[in-house]
Amino acid sequence: TFNGNWKIDRNDNYEKFMEQMGINMVKRKLAAHDNLKITIEQSGDTFHVKESSKFRTLEIDFTLGVNFEYSLADGTELSGSWTMEGDLLKGVFTRKDNGKKLTTTRIVQGDELIQSYNYEGVDAKRIFKRC
Ligand code: MYR
């Protein structure tokens, strides 16, 4: 289950990923240490996610398979949806500014939540622990 409170433990290739996203160096350095925490509350097909970091706090509601809008901390707007395949949450989002695709997955493995990202050929991971 995804339910619970998660805090970022470590990143894998996240700076390269952000660079591919076009995020400048200063913002990349800050974002690499954003102290991201997420709280996930799933009930059936609907999710409530609280996100908090050095940059902002926000709450997101979505339903599996239903499109919604999401803005990154730098203002980049995405639109897309999550679906569930077995134990894997799969997100497909499109950047509104350039039409390019950002795909992401979430899976719980042991005591960790692993979120993977792909954008234009660059993969990254952010790994969370329960808190
Ligand atoms: C949520 O479930 O937490 C809300 C929807 C998340 C949408 C996809 C997130 C992609 C985040 C990419 C971060 C990239 C920073 C350059």
Side-chain angles (χ1 to χ4, degrees):
T1 175
F2 294 95
N3 284 341
N5 301 310
W6 301 92
K7 66 168 192 303
I8 190 71
D9 182 60
R10 60 195 190 277
N11 298 323
D12 180 8
N13 210 40
Y14 191 49
E15 291 218 31
K16 283 270 159 54
F17 174 82
M18 289 189 282
E19 190 175 355
Q20 186 75 339
M21 287 285 287
I23 294 167
N24 74 43
M25 190 181 68
V26 172
K27 289 183 184 169
R28 293 202 302 271
K29 296 291 173 203
L30 294 171
H33 303 281
D34 61 356
N35 284 346
L36 180 60
K37 288 185 185 148
I38 54 177
T39 299
I40 301 177
E41 294 164 15
Q42 177 185 6
S43 101
D45 278 1
T46 68
F47 285 73
H48 183 68
V49 178
K50 291 179 200 165
E51 172 185 323
S52 79
S53 69
K54 280 185 187 166
F55 302 116
R56 60 180 182 169
T57 64
L58 76 164
E59 306 201 12
I60 306 125
D61 287 288
F62 62 85
T63 300
L64 294 176
V66 178
N67 255 65
F68 64 99
E69 324 265 292
Y70 177 79
S71 296
L72 304 182
D74 72 346
T76 303
E77 294 180 30
L78 306 176
S79 155
S81 65
W82 289 103
T83 55
M84 191 82 90
E85 284 186 16
D87 292 338
L88 188 71
L89 262 179
K90 289 180 77 166
V92 179
F93 295 87
T94 302
R95 274 177 75 146
K96 291 191 177 182
D97 58 346
N98 65 11
K100 291 183 175 170
K101 216 165 252 192
L102 187 161
T103 57
T104 177
T105 62
R106 283 181 177 138
I107 191 154
V108 174
Q109 282 181 353
D111 62 349
E112 296 185 331
L113 183 150
I114 300 170
Q115 184 157 7
S116 302
Y117 305 89
N118 177 277
Y119 179 74
E120 292 287 298
V122 177
D123 290 305
K125 282 185 184 149
R126 304 200 78 187
I127 296 142
F128 299 80
K129 294 215 185 269
R130 290 192 186 271
C131 60

